[in-house]
């Protein structure tokens, strides 16, 4: 169902520890996500409270923090979070995602929150 939201020539970039991985094409994007999805038993994913949208002609960007809640098949909790930027392009009257970029967010544990100044 998501395929209609994404352009077939989608560009996806994921920043990691010191490097960036870029994938092109919707099929490559879904193939990259498949091993991750295969490990998950339950997942609830939605954007955080603040979604920033900017519009410029036939292009728009939306940026939000993403922290899925769920469980892996082995019982471990899903503990990841990212900042996601989507670049949307209007094509034939339909807004589609042309680029998706994710950047991992540092996980702050409760003791770090309590001692932060």
């Amino acid at each position: 169902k998501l395929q209609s939201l994404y352009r077939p020539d989608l560009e996806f970039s994921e920043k990691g520890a010191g490097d960036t991985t870029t994938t092109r094409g919707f099929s490559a994007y879904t193939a990259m996500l498949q091993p991750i999805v295969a490990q998950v038993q339950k997942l609830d994913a939605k954007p955080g409270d603040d979604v920033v949208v900017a519009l410029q002609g036939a292009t728009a960007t939306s940026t939000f923090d993403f922290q899925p809640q769920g469980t892996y098949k082995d019982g471990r909790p899903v503990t990841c979070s990212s900042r996601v930027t989507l670049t949307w392009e209007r094509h034939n009257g339909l807004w589609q995602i042309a680029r998706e970029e994710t950047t991992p967010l540092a996980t702050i544990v409760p003791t770090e929150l309590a001692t932060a100044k």
Side-chain angles (χ1 to χ4, degrees):
K1 293 181 180 183
L2 288 176
Q3 189 169 1
S4 63
L5 287 177
Y6 288 88
R7 290 180 50 111
D9 59 347
L10 164 75
E11 181 178 303
F12 172 75
S13 294
E14 181 175 30
K15 294 181 181 176
D19 65 343
T20 299
T21 303
T22 301
T23 303
R24 288 185 172 72
F26 185 77
S27 295
Y29 173 69
T30 56
M32 183 205 58
L33 293 176
Q34 185 57 37
I36 298 165
V37 172
Q39 296 178 40
V40 176
Q41 177 180 3
K42 178 183 174 190
L43 187 69
D44 179 28
K46 57 186 175 184
D49 293 337
D50 295 327
V51 177
V52 177
V53 178
L55 178 63
Q56 185 173 354
T59 302
T61 58
S62 56
T63 303
F64 54 90
D65 291 347
F66 176 77
Q67 187 168 5
Q69 303 292 312
T71 309
Y72 289 105
K73 289 179 180 176
D74 66 5
R76 291 177 298 130
V78 173
T79 58
C80 61
S81 59
S82 297
R83 173 148 302 130
V84 178
T85 300
L86 302 175
T87 302
W88 300 77
E89 292 179 354
R90 191 175 180 133
H91 184 70
N92 294 330
L94 177 66
W95 286 95
Q96 290 182 302
I97 300 167
R99 179 170 172 71
E100 179 175 330
E101 183 177 323
T102 64
T103 304
L105 295 174
T107 303
I108 299 176
V109 295
T111 56
E112 290 173 317
L113 286 174
T115 60
K117 293 183 179 181

